[in-house]
mmCIF file with all atom_site columns, all heavy atoms in Angstrom:
data_model
loop_
_atom_site.group_PDB
_atom_site.id
_atom_site.type_symbol
_atom_site.label_atom_id
_atom_site.label_alt_id
_atom_site.label_comp_id
_atom_site.label_asym_id
_atom_site.label_entity_id
_atom_site.label_seq_id
_atom_site.pdbx_PDB_ins_code
_atom_site.Cartn_x
_atom_site.Cartn_y
_atom_site.Cartn_z
_atom_site.occupancy
_atom_site.B_iso_or_equiv
_atom_site.pdbx_formal_charge
_atom_site.auth_seq_id
_atom_site.auth_comp_id
_atom_site.auth_asym_id
_atom_site.auth_atom_id
_atom_site.pdbx_PDB_model_num
ATOM 1   N N   . VAL L 1 293 ? -16.976 -0.152  -24.722 1.00 91.00 ? 293 VAL L N   1
ATOM 2   C CA  . VAL L 1 293 ? -17.340 -0.188  -23.310 1.00 91.00 ? 293 VAL L CA  1
ATOM 3   C C   . VAL L 1 293 ? -16.605 -1.414  -22.670 1.00 91.00 ? 293 VAL L C   1
ATOM 4   O O   . VAL L 1 293 ? -16.067 -1.334  -21.588 1.00 91.00 ? 293 VAL L O   1
ATOM 5   C CB  . VAL L 1 293 ? -18.872 -0.329  -23.144 1.00 91.00 ? 293 VAL L CB  1
ATOM 6   C CG1 . VAL L 1 293 ? -19.175 -0.607  -21.681 1.00 91.00 ? 293 VAL L CG1 1
ATOM 7   C CG2 . VAL L 1 293 ? -19.539 0.923   -23.625 1.00 91.00 ? 293 VAL L CG2 1
ATOM 8   N N   . SER L 1 294 ? -16.622 -2.549  -23.370 1.00 91.00 ? 294 SER L N   1
ATOM 9   C CA  . SER L 1 294 ? -15.976 -3.767  -22.904 1.00 91.00 ? 294 SER L CA  1
ATOM 10  C C   . SER L 1 294 ? -14.452 -3.458  -22.690 1.00 91.00 ? 294 SER L C   1
ATOM 11  O O   . SER L 1 294 ? -13.868 -3.923  -21.698 1.00 91.00 ? 294 SER L O   1
ATOM 12  C CB  . SER L 1 294 ? -16.153 -4.927  -23.894 1.00 91.00 ? 294 SER L CB  1
ATOM 13  O OG  . SER L 1 294 ? -15.350 -5.990  -23.572 1.00 91.00 ? 294 SER L OG  1
ATOM 14  N N   . PHE L 1 295 ? -13.864 -2.774  -23.665 1.00 88.00 ? 295 PHE L N   1
ATOM 15  C CA  . PHE L 1 295 ? -12.436 -2.514  -23.601 1.00 88.00 ? 295 PHE L CA  1
ATOM 16  C C   . PHE L 1 295 ? -12.097 -1.632  -22.398 1.00 88.00 ? 295 PHE L C   1
ATOM 17  O O   . PHE L 1 295 ? -11.155 -1.896  -21.704 1.00 88.00 ? 295 PHE L O   1
ATOM 18  C CB  . PHE L 1 295 ? -12.006 -1.770  -24.894 1.00 88.00 ? 295 PHE L CB  1
ATOM 19  C CG  . PHE L 1 295 ? -10.579 -1.463  -24.972 1.00 88.00 ? 295 PHE L CG  1
ATOM 20  C CD1 . PHE L 1 295 ? -9.578  -2.453  -25.225 1.00 88.00 ? 295 PHE L CD1 1
ATOM 21  C CD2 . PHE L 1 295 ? -10.152 -0.123  -24.955 1.00 88.00 ? 295 PHE L CD2 1
ATOM 22  C CE1 . PHE L 1 295 ? -8.259  -2.156  -25.278 1.00 88.00 ? 295 PHE L CE1 1
ATOM 23  C CE2 . PHE L 1 295 ? -8.800  0.189   -25.060 1.00 88.00 ? 295 PHE L CE2 1
ATOM 24  C CZ  . PHE L 1 295 ? -7.880  -0.830  -25.272 1.00 88.00 ? 295 PHE L CZ  1
ATOM 25  N N   . VAL L 1 296 ? -12.900 -0.656  -22.161 1.00 90.00 ? 296 VAL L N   1
ATOM 26  C CA  . VAL L 1 296 ? -12.638 0.286   -21.015 1.00 90.00 ? 296 VAL L CA  1
ATOM 27  C C   . VAL L 1 296 ? -12.862 -0.433  -19.689 1.00 90.00 ? 296 VAL L C   1
ATOM 28  O O   . VAL L 1 296 ? -12.046 -0.330  -18.766 1.00 90.00 ? 296 VAL L O   1
ATOM 29  C CB  . VAL L 1 296 ? -13.604 1.513   -21.113 1.00 90.00 ? 296 VAL L CB  1
ATOM 30  C CG1 . VAL L 1 296 ? -13.454 2.355   -19.814 1.00 90.00 ? 296 VAL L CG1 1
ATOM 31  C CG2 . VAL L 1 296 ? -13.210 2.334   -22.321 1.00 90.00 ? 296 VAL L CG2 1
ATOM 32  N N   . LEU L 1 297 ? -13.975 -1.188  -19.580 1.00 93.00 ? 297 LEU L N   1
ATOM 33  C CA  . LEU L 1 297 ? -14.247 -1.860  -18.315 1.00 93.00 ? 297 LEU L CA  1
ATOM 34  C C   . LEU L 1 297 ? -13.179 -2.894  -17.951 1.00 93.00 ? 297 LEU L C   1
ATOM 35  O O   . LEU L 1 297 ? -12.802 -3.081  -16.804 1.00 93.00 ? 297 LEU L O   1
ATOM 36  C CB  . LEU L 1 297 ? -15.632 -2.569  -18.403 1.00 93.00 ? 297 LEU L CB  1
ATOM 37  C CG  . LEU L 1 297 ? -16.810 -1.603  -18.398 1.00 93.00 ? 297 LEU L CG  1
ATOM 38  C CD1 . LEU L 1 297 ? -18.130 -2.383  -18.512 1.00 93.00 ? 297 LEU L CD1 1
ATOM 39  C CD2 . LEU L 1 297 ? -16.893 -0.774  -17.143 1.00 93.00 ? 297 LEU L CD2 1
ATOM 40  N N   . ALA L 1 298 ? -12.662 -3.623  -18.968 1.00 92.00 ? 298 ALA L N   1
ATOM 41  C CA  . ALA L 1 298 ? -11.670 -4.640  -18.698 1.00 92.00 ? 298 ALA L CA  1
ATOM 42  C C   . ALA L 1 298 ? -10.339 -3.984  -18.186 1.00 92.00 ? 298 ALA L C   1
ATOM 43  O O   . ALA L 1 298 ? -9.736  -4.467  -17.225 1.00 92.00 ? 298 ALA L O   1
ATOM 44  C CB  . ALA L 1 298 ? -11.337 -5.442  -19.986 1.00 92.00 ? 298 ALA L CB  1
ATOM 45  N N   . ASN L 1 299 ? -10.023 -2.819  -18.736 1.00 90.00 ? 299 ASN L N   1
ATOM 46  C CA  . ASN L 1 299 ? -8.797  -2.124  -18.239 1.00 90.00 ? 299 ASN L CA  1
ATOM 47  C C   . ASN L 1 299 ? -9.004  -1.577  -16.856 1.00 90.00 ? 299 ASN L C   1
ATOM 48  O O   . ASN L 1 299 ? -8.048  -1.568  -16.072 1.00 90.00 ? 299 ASN L O   1
ATOM 49  C CB  . ASN L 1 299 ? -8.429  -1.068  -19.276 1.00 90.00 ? 299 ASN L CB  1
ATOM 50  C CG  . ASN L 1 299 ? -6.976  -0.630  -19.134 1.00 90.00 ? 299 ASN L CG  1
ATOM 51  O OD1 . ASN L 1 299 ? -6.149  -1.444  -18.706 1.00 90.00 ? 299 ASN L OD1 1
ATOM 52  N ND2 . ASN L 1 299 ? -6.675  0.636   -19.492 1.00 90.00 ? 299 ASN L ND2 1
ATOM 53  N N   . VAL L 1 300 ? -10.171 -1.070  -16.584 1.00 92.00 ? 300 VAL L N   1
ATOM 54  C CA  . VAL L 1 300 ? -10.460 -0.601  -15.225 1.00 92.00 ? 300 VAL L CA  1
ATOM 55  C C   . VAL L 1 300 ? -10.364 -1.711  -14.154 1.00 92.00 ? 300 VAL L C   1
ATOM 56  O O   . VAL L 1 300 ? -9.771  -1.513  -13.124 1.00 92.00 ? 300 VAL L O   1
ATOM 57  C CB  . VAL L 1 300 ? -11.821 0.072   -15.227 1.00 92.00 ? 300 VAL L CB  1
ATOM 58  C CG1 . VAL L 1 300 ? -12.333 0.374   -13.763 1.00 92.00 ? 300 VAL L CG1 1
ATOM 59  C CG2 . VAL L 1 300 ? -11.874 1.387   -16.013 1.00 92.00 ? 300 VAL L CG2 1
ATOM 60  N N   . LEU L 1 301 ? -10.981 -2.839  -14.503 1.00 95.00 ? 301 LEU L N   1
ATOM 61  C CA  . LEU L 1 301 ? -10.904 -3.986  -13.629 1.00 95.00 ? 301 LEU L CA  1
ATOM 62  C C   . LEU L 1 301 ? -9.439  -4.475  -13.441 1.00 95.00 ? 301 LEU L C   1
ATOM 63  O O   . LEU L 1 301 ? -9.079  -4.755  -12.249 1.00 95.00 ? 301 LEU L O   1
ATOM 64  C CB  . LEU L 1 301 ? -11.767 -5.141  -14.123 1.00 95.00 ? 301 LEU L CB  1
ATOM 65  C CG  . LEU L 1 301 ? -11.799 -6.405  -13.352 1.00 95.00 ? 301 LEU L CG  1
ATOM 66  C CD1 . LEU L 1 301 ? -12.311 -6.174  -11.915 1.00 95.00 ? 301 LEU L CD1 1
ATOM 67  C CD2 . LEU L 1 301 ? -12.586 -7.550  -14.049 1.00 95.00 ? 301 LEU L CD2 1
ATOM 68  N N   . MET L 1 302 ? -8.676  -4.512  -14.504 1.00 93.00 ? 302 MET L N   1
ATOM 69  C CA  . MET L 1 302 ? -7.312  -4.938  -14.401 1.00 93.00 ? 302 MET L CA  1
ATOM 70  C C   . MET L 1 302 ? -6.495  -3.971  -13.470 1.00 93.00 ? 302 MET L C   1
ATOM 71  O O   . MET L 1 302 ? -5.724  -4.400  -12.596 1.00 93.00 ? 302 MET L O   1
ATOM 72  C CB  . MET L 1 302 ? -6.657  -5.063  -15.720 1.00 93.00 ? 302 MET L CB  1
ATOM 73  C CG  . MET L 1 302 ? -5.224  -5.552  -15.693 1.00 93.00 ? 302 MET L CG  1
ATOM 74  S SD  . MET L 1 302 ? -4.448  -5.750  -17.374 1.00 93.00 ? 302 MET L SD  1
ATOM 75  C CE  . MET L 1 302 ? -4.122  -3.996  -17.707 1.00 93.00 ? 302 MET L CE  1
ATOM 76  N N   . GLY L 1 303 ? -6.717  -2.655  -13.693 1.00 91.00 ? 303 GLY L N   1
ATOM 77  C CA  . GLY L 1 303 ? -5.991  -1.673  -12.898 1.00 91.00 ? 303 GLY L CA  1
ATOM 78  C C   . GLY L 1 303 ? -6.377  -1.737  -11.424 1.00 91.00 ? 303 GLY L C   1
ATOM 79  O O   . GLY L 1 303 ? -5.443  -1.678  -10.562 1.00 91.00 ? 303 GLY L O   1
ATOM 80  N N   . ALA L 1 304 ? -7.635  -1.855  -11.125 1.00 92.00 ? 304 ALA L N   1
ATOM 81  C CA  . ALA L 1 304 ? -8.072  -1.884  -9.785  1.00 92.00 ? 304 ALA L CA  1
ATOM 82  C C   . ALA L 1 304 ? -7.478  -3.097  -8.995  1.00 92.00 ? 304 ALA L C   1
ATOM 83  O O   . ALA L 1 304 ? -6.991  -3.027  -7.920  1.00 92.00 ? 304 ALA L O   1
ATOM 84  C CB  . ALA L 1 304 ? -9.576  -1.918  -9.684  1.00 92.00 ? 304 ALA L CB  1
ATOM 85  N N   . CYS L 1 305 ? -7.520  -4.274  -9.669  1.00 94.00 ? 305 CYS L N   1
ATOM 86  C CA  . CYS L 1 305 ? -6.954  -5.469  -9.073  1.00 94.00 ? 305 CYS L CA  1
ATOM 87  C C   . CYS L 1 305 ? -5.455  -5.384  -8.883  1.00 94.00 ? 305 CYS L C   1
ATOM 88  O O   . CYS L 1 305 ? -4.883  -5.798  -7.845  1.00 94.00 ? 305 CYS L O   1
ATOM 89  C CB  . CYS L 1 305 ? -7.355  -6.717  -9.891  1.00 94.00 ? 305 CYS L CB  1
ATOM 90  S SG  . CYS L 1 305 ? -9.067  -7.090  -9.860  1.00 94.00 ? 305 CYS L SG  1
ATOM 91  N N   . TRP L 1 306 ? -4.723  -4.897  -9.908  1.00 92.00 ? 306 TRP L N   1
ATOM 92  C CA  . TRP L 1 306 ? -3.336  -4.802  -9.940  1.00 92.00 ? 306 TRP L CA  1
ATOM 93  C C   . TRP L 1 306 ? -2.741  -4.217  -8.677  1.00 92.00 ? 306 TRP L C   1
ATOM 94  O O   . TRP L 1 306 ? -1.927  -4.859  -7.938  1.00 92.00 ? 306 TRP L O   1
ATOM 95  C CB  . TRP L 1 306 ? -2.880  -4.068  -11.154 1.00 92.00 ? 306 TRP L CB  1
ATOM 96  C CG  . TRP L 1 306 ? -1.400  -4.006  -11.374 1.00 92.00 ? 306 TRP L CG  1
ATOM 97  C CD1 . TRP L 1 306 ? -0.445  -4.861  -10.918 1.00 92.00 ? 306 TRP L CD1 1
ATOM 98  C CD2 . TRP L 1 306 ? -0.641  -3.100  -12.193 1.00 92.00 ? 306 TRP L CD2 1
ATOM 99  N NE1 . TRP L 1 306 ? 0.794   -4.536  -11.333 1.00 92.00 ? 306 TRP L NE1 1
ATOM 100 C CE2 . TRP L 1 306 ? 0.702   -3.398  -12.122 1.00 92.00 ? 306 TRP L CE2 1
ATOM 101 C CE3 . TRP L 1 306 ? -1.075  -2.043  -13.009 1.00 92.00 ? 306 TRP L CE3 1
ATOM 102 C CZ2 . TRP L 1 306 ? 1.707   -2.733  -12.773 1.00 92.00 ? 306 TRP L CZ2 1
ATOM 103 C CZ3 . TRP L 1 306 ? -0.137  -1.329  -13.677 1.00 92.00 ? 306 TRP L CZ3 1
ATOM 104 C CH2 . TRP L 1 306 ? 1.243   -1.661  -13.572 1.00 92.00 ? 306 TRP L CH2 1
ATOM 105 N N   . LEU L 1 307 ? -3.101  -2.991  -8.372  1.00 89.00 ? 307 LEU L N   1
ATOM 106 C CA  . LEU L 1 307 ? -2.481  -2.342  -7.219  1.00 89.00 ? 307 LEU L CA  1
ATOM 107 C C   . LEU L 1 307 ? -3.115  -2.681  -5.899  1.00 89.00 ? 307 LEU L C   1
ATOM 108 O O   . LEU L 1 307 ? -2.474  -2.434  -4.827  1.00 89.00 ? 307 LEU L O   1
ATOM 109 C CB  . LEU L 1 307 ? -2.528  -0.801  -7.365  1.00 89.00 ? 307 LEU L CB  1
ATOM 110 C CG  . LEU L 1 307 ? -1.579  -0.217  -8.457  1.00 89.00 ? 307 LEU L CG  1
ATOM 111 C CD1 . LEU L 1 307 ? -1.332  1.301   -8.231  1.00 89.00 ? 307 LEU L CD1 1
ATOM 112 C CD2 . LEU L 1 307 ? -0.207  -0.921  -8.465  1.00 89.00 ? 307 LEU L CD2 1
ATOM 113 N N   . ALA L 1 308 ? -4.215  -3.325  -5.894  1.00 92.00 ? 308 ALA L N   1
ATOM 114 C CA  . ALA L 1 308 ? -4.829  -3.832  -4.648  1.00 92.00 ? 308 ALA L CA  1
ATOM 115 C C   . ALA L 1 308 ? -4.149  -5.099  -4.186  1.00 92.00 ? 308 ALA L C   1
ATOM 116 O O   . ALA L 1 308 ? -4.093  -5.387  -2.937  1.00 92.00 ? 308 ALA L O   1
ATOM 117 C CB  . ALA L 1 308 ? -6.350  -4.027  -4.809  1.00 92.00 ? 308 ALA L CB  1
ATOM 118 N N   . LEU L 1 309 ? -3.632  -5.882  -5.081  1.00 93.00 ? 309 LEU L N   1
ATOM 119 C CA  . LEU L 1 309 ? -3.116  -7.185  -4.718  1.00 93.00 ? 309 LEU L CA  1
ATOM 120 C C   . LEU L 1 309 ? -1.745  -7.184  -4.130  1.00 93.00 ? 309 LEU L C   1
ATOM 121 O O   . LEU L 1 309 ? -1.471  -8.067  -3.223  1.00 93.00 ? 309 LEU L O   1
ATOM 122 C CB  . LEU L 1 309 ? -3.052  -8.110  -5.967  1.00 93.00 ? 309 LEU L CB  1
ATOM 123 C CG  . LEU L 1 309 ? -4.442  -8.514  -6.523  1.00 93.00 ? 309 LEU L CG  1
ATOM 124 C CD1 . LEU L 1 309 ? -4.279  -9.277  -7.849  1.00 93.00 ? 309 LEU L CD1 1
ATOM 125 C CD2 . LEU L 1 309 ? -5.201  -9.402  -5.556  1.00 93.00 ? 309 LEU L CD2 1
ATOM 126 N N   . LEU L 1 310 ? -0.894  -6.198  -4.387  1.00 91.00 ? 310 LEU L N   1
ATOM 127 C CA  . LEU L 1 310 ? 0.397   -6.190  -3.795  1.00 91.00 ? 310 LEU L CA  1
ATOM 128 C C   . LEU L 1 310 ? 0.368   -5.975  -2.310  1.00 91.00 ? 310 LEU L C   1
ATOM 129 O O   . LEU L 1 310 ? 1.040   -6.721  -1.530  1.00 91.00 ? 310 LEU L O   1
ATOM 130 C CB  . LEU L 1 310 ? 1.257   -5.092  -4.441  1.00 91.00 ? 310 LEU L CB  1
ATOM 131 C CG  . LEU L 1 310 ? 2.705   -5.009  -3.948  1.00 91.00 ? 310 LEU L CG  1
ATOM 132 C CD1 . LEU L 1 310 ? 3.458   -6.292  -4.172  1.00 91.00 ? 310 LEU L CD1 1
ATOM 133 C CD2 . LEU L 1 310 ? 3.509   -3.830  -4.634  1.00 91.00 ? 310 LEU L CD2 1
ATOM 134 N N   . PRO L 1 311 ? -0.442  -5.050  -1.743  1.00 92.00 ? 311 PRO L N   1
ATOM 135 C CA  . PRO L 1 311 ? -0.519  -4.921  -0.324  1.00 92.00 ? 311 PRO L CA  1
ATOM 136 C C   . PRO L 1 311 ? -1.049  -6.199  0.365   1.00 92.00 ? 311 PRO L C   1
ATOM 137 O O   . PRO L 1 311 ? -0.601  -6.543  1.472   1.00 92.00 ? 311 PRO L O   1
ATOM 138 C CB  . PRO L 1 311 ? -1.415  -3.760  -0.065  1.00 92.00 ? 311 PRO L CB  1
ATOM 139 C CG  . PRO L 1 311 ? -1.404  -2.935  -1.328  1.00 92.00 ? 311 PRO L CG  1
ATOM 140 C CD  . PRO L 1 311 ? -1.160  -3.981  -2.422  1.00 92.00 ? 311 PRO L CD  1
ATOM 141 N N   . LEU L 1 312 ? -1.953  -6.864  -0.268  1.00 93.00 ? 312 LEU L N   1
ATOM 142 C CA  . LEU L 1 312 ? -2.474  -8.118  0.290   1.00 93.00 ? 312 LEU L CA  1
ATOM 143 C C   . LEU L 1 312 ? -1.413  -9.202  0.284   1.00 93.00 ? 312 LEU L C   1
ATOM 144 O O   . LEU L 1 312 ? -1.270  -10.049 1.182   1.00 93.00 ? 312 LEU L O   1
ATOM 145 C CB  . LEU L 1 312 ? -3.672  -8.600  -0.480  1.00 93.00 ? 312 LEU L CB  1
ATOM 146 C CG  . LEU L 1 312 ? -4.911  -7.720  -0.331  1.00 93.00 ? 312 LEU L CG  1
ATOM 147 C CD1 . LEU L 1 312 ? -6.024  -8.180  -1.300  1.00 93.00 ? 312 LEU L CD1 1
ATOM 148 C CD2 . LEU L 1 312 ? -5.426  -7.783  1.077   1.00 93.00 ? 312 LEU L CD2 1
ATOM 149 N N   . SER L 1 313 ? -0.541  -9.197  -0.793  1.00 93.00 ? 313 SER L N   1
ATOM 150 C CA  . SER L 1 313 ? 0.612   -10.124 -0.817  1.00 93.00 ? 313 SER L CA  1
ATOM 151 C C   . SER L 1 313 ? 1.575   -9.835  0.334   1.00 93.00 ? 313 SER L C   1
ATOM 152 O O   . SER L 1 313 ? 2.143   -10.831 0.906   1.00 93.00 ? 313 SER L O   1
ATOM 153 C CB  . SER L 1 313 ? 1.258   -10.038 -2.157  1.00 93.00 ? 313 SER L CB  1
ATOM 154 O OG  . SER L 1 313 ? 0.439   -10.411 -3.215  1.00 93.00 ? 313 SER L OG  1
ATOM 155 N N   . ILE L 1 314 ? 1.817   -8.598  0.627   1.00 91.00 ? 314 ILE L N   1
ATOM 156 C CA  . ILE L 1 314 ? 2.694   -8.210  1.751   1.00 91.00 ? 314 ILE L CA  1
ATOM 157 C C   . ILE L 1 314 ? 2.080   -8.694  3.047   1.00 91.00 ? 314 ILE L C   1
ATOM 158 O O   . ILE L 1 314 ? 2.847   -9.168  3.945   1.00 91.00 ? 314 ILE L O   1
ATOM 159 C CB  . ILE L 1 314 ? 2.869   -6.696  1.739   1.00 91.00 ? 314 ILE L CB  1
ATOM 160 C CG1 . ILE L 1 314 ? 3.832   -6.305  0.578   1.00 91.00 ? 314 ILE L CG1 1
ATOM 161 C CG2 . ILE L 1 314 ? 3.418   -6.199  3.047   1.00 91.00 ? 314 ILE L CG2 1
ATOM 162 C CD1 . ILE L 1 314 ? 4.032   -4.824  0.435   1.00 91.00 ? 314 ILE L CD1 1
ATOM 163 N N   . LYS L 1 315 ? 0.788   -8.565  3.211   1.00 91.00 ? 315 LYS L N   1
ATOM 164 C CA  . LYS L 1 315 ? 0.091   -9.105  4.412   1.00 91.00 ? 315 LYS L CA  1
ATOM 165 C C   . LYS L 1 315 ? 0.320   -10.605 4.531   1.00 91.00 ? 315 LYS L C   1
ATOM 166 O O   . LYS L 1 315 ? 0.555   -11.108 5.605   1.00 91.00 ? 315 LYS L O   1
ATOM 167 C CB  . LYS L 1 315 ? -1.366  -8.712  4.396   1.00 91.00 ? 315 LYS L CB  1
ATOM 168 C CG  . LYS L 1 315 ? -2.100  -9.161  5.658   1.00 91.00 ? 315 LYS L CG  1
ATOM 169 C CD  . LYS L 1 315 ? -3.573  -8.733  5.589   1.00 91.00 ? 315 LYS L CD  1
ATOM 170 C CE  . LYS L 1 315 ? -4.295  -9.101  6.879   1.00 91.00 ? 315 LYS L CE  1
ATOM 171 N NZ  . LYS L 1 315 ? -5.703  -8.727  6.840   1.00 91.00 ? 315 LYS L NZ  1
ATOM 172 N N   . LEU L 1 316 ? 0.248   -11.253 3.423   1.00 92.00 ? 316 LEU L N   1
ATOM 173 C CA  . LEU L 1 316 ? 0.449   -12.750 3.447   1.00 92.00 ? 316 LEU L CA  1
ATOM 174 C C   . LEU L 1 316 ? 1.869   -13.072 3.838   1.00 92.00 ? 316 LEU L C   1
ATOM 175 O O   . LEU L 1 316 ? 2.107   -14.052 4.615   1.00 92.00 ? 316 LEU L O   1
ATOM 176 C CB  . LEU L 1 316 ? 0.111   -13.338 2.035   1.00 92.00 ? 316 LEU L CB  1
ATOM 177 C CG  . LEU L 1 316 ? 0.197   -14.836 1.921   1.00 92.00 ? 316 LEU L CG  1
ATOM 178 C CD1 . LEU L 1 316 ? -0.720  -15.554 2.938   1.00 92.00 ? 316 LEU L CD1 1
ATOM 179 C CD2 . LEU L 1 316 ? -0.129  -15.296 0.481   1.00 92.00 ? 316 LEU L CD2 1
ATOM 180 N N   . ILE L 1 317 ? 2.892   -12.356 3.360   1.00 91.00 ? 317 ILE L N   1
ATOM 181 C CA  . ILE L 1 317 ? 4.221   -12.611 3.762   1.00 91.00 ? 317 ILE L CA  1
ATOM 182 C C   . ILE L 1 317 ? 4.422   -12.406 5.254   1.00 91.00 ? 317 ILE L C   1
ATOM 183 O O   . ILE L 1 317 ? 5.105   -13.236 5.908   1.00 91.00 ? 317 ILE L O   1
ATOM 184 C CB  . ILE L 1 317 ? 5.228   -11.664 2.982   1.00 91.00 ? 317 ILE L CB  1
ATOM 185 C CG1 . ILE L 1 317 ? 5.331   -12.045 1.541   1.00 91.00 ? 317 ILE L CG1 1
ATOM 186 C CG2 . ILE L 1 317 ? 6.590   -11.629 3.644   1.00 91.00 ? 317 ILE L CG2 1
ATOM 187 C CD1 . ILE L 1 317 ? 6.206   -11.266 0.703   1.00 91.00 ? 317 ILE L CD1 1
ATOM 188 N N   . CYS L 1 318 ? 3.770   -11.392 5.819   1.00 87.00 ? 318 CYS L N   1
ATOM 189 C CA  . CYS L 1 318 ? 3.809   -11.162 7.278   1.00 87.00 ? 318 CYS L CA  1
ATOM 190 C C   . CYS L 1 318 ? 3.283   -12.302 8.050   1.00 87.00 ? 318 CYS L C   1
ATOM 191 O O   . CYS L 1 318 ? 3.718   -12.549 9.238   1.00 87.00 ? 318 CYS L O   1
ATOM 192 C CB  . CYS L 1 318 ? 3.089   -9.842  7.604   1.00 87.00 ? 318 CYS L CB  1
ATOM 193 S SG  . CYS L 1 318 ? 3.913   -8.329  7.043   1.00 87.00 ? 318 CYS L SG  1
ATOM 194 N N   . GLU L 1 319 ? 2.308   -12.933 7.518   1.00 87.00 ? 319 GLU L N   1
ATOM 195 C CA  . GLU L 1 319 ? 1.635   -14.129 8.196   1.00 87.00 ? 319 GLU L CA  1
ATOM 196 C C   . GLU L 1 319 ? 2.513   -15.364 8.068   1.00 87.00 ? 319 GLU L C   1
ATOM 197 O O   . GLU L 1 319 ? 2.212   -16.356 8.722   1.00 87.00 ? 319 GLU L O   1
ATOM 198 C CB  . GLU L 1 319 ? 0.271   -14.344 7.659   1.00 87.00 ? 319 GLU L CB  1
ATOM 199 C CG  . GLU L 1 319 ? -0.647  -13.248 7.903   1.00 87.00 ? 319 GLU L CG  1
ATOM 200 C CD  . GLU L 1 319 ? -2.006  -13.378 7.158   1.00 87.00 ? 319 GLU L CD  1
ATOM 201 O OE1 . GLU L 1 319 ? -2.129  -14.313 6.299   1.00 87.00 ? 319 GLU L OE1 1
ATOM 202 O OE2 . GLU L 1 319 ? -2.951  -12.533 7.379   1.00 87.00 ? 319 GLU L OE2 1
#
Side-chain angles (χ1 to χ4, degrees):
V293 174
S294 170
F295 183 70
V296 172
L297 290 179
N299 201 27
V300 167
L301 179 60
M302 185 178 75
C305 292
W306 182 21
L307 288 198
L309 290 173
L310 183 59
L312 292 172
S313 298
I314 286 175
K315 183 177 182 180
L316 182 58
I317 288 178
C318 291
E319 295 172 354

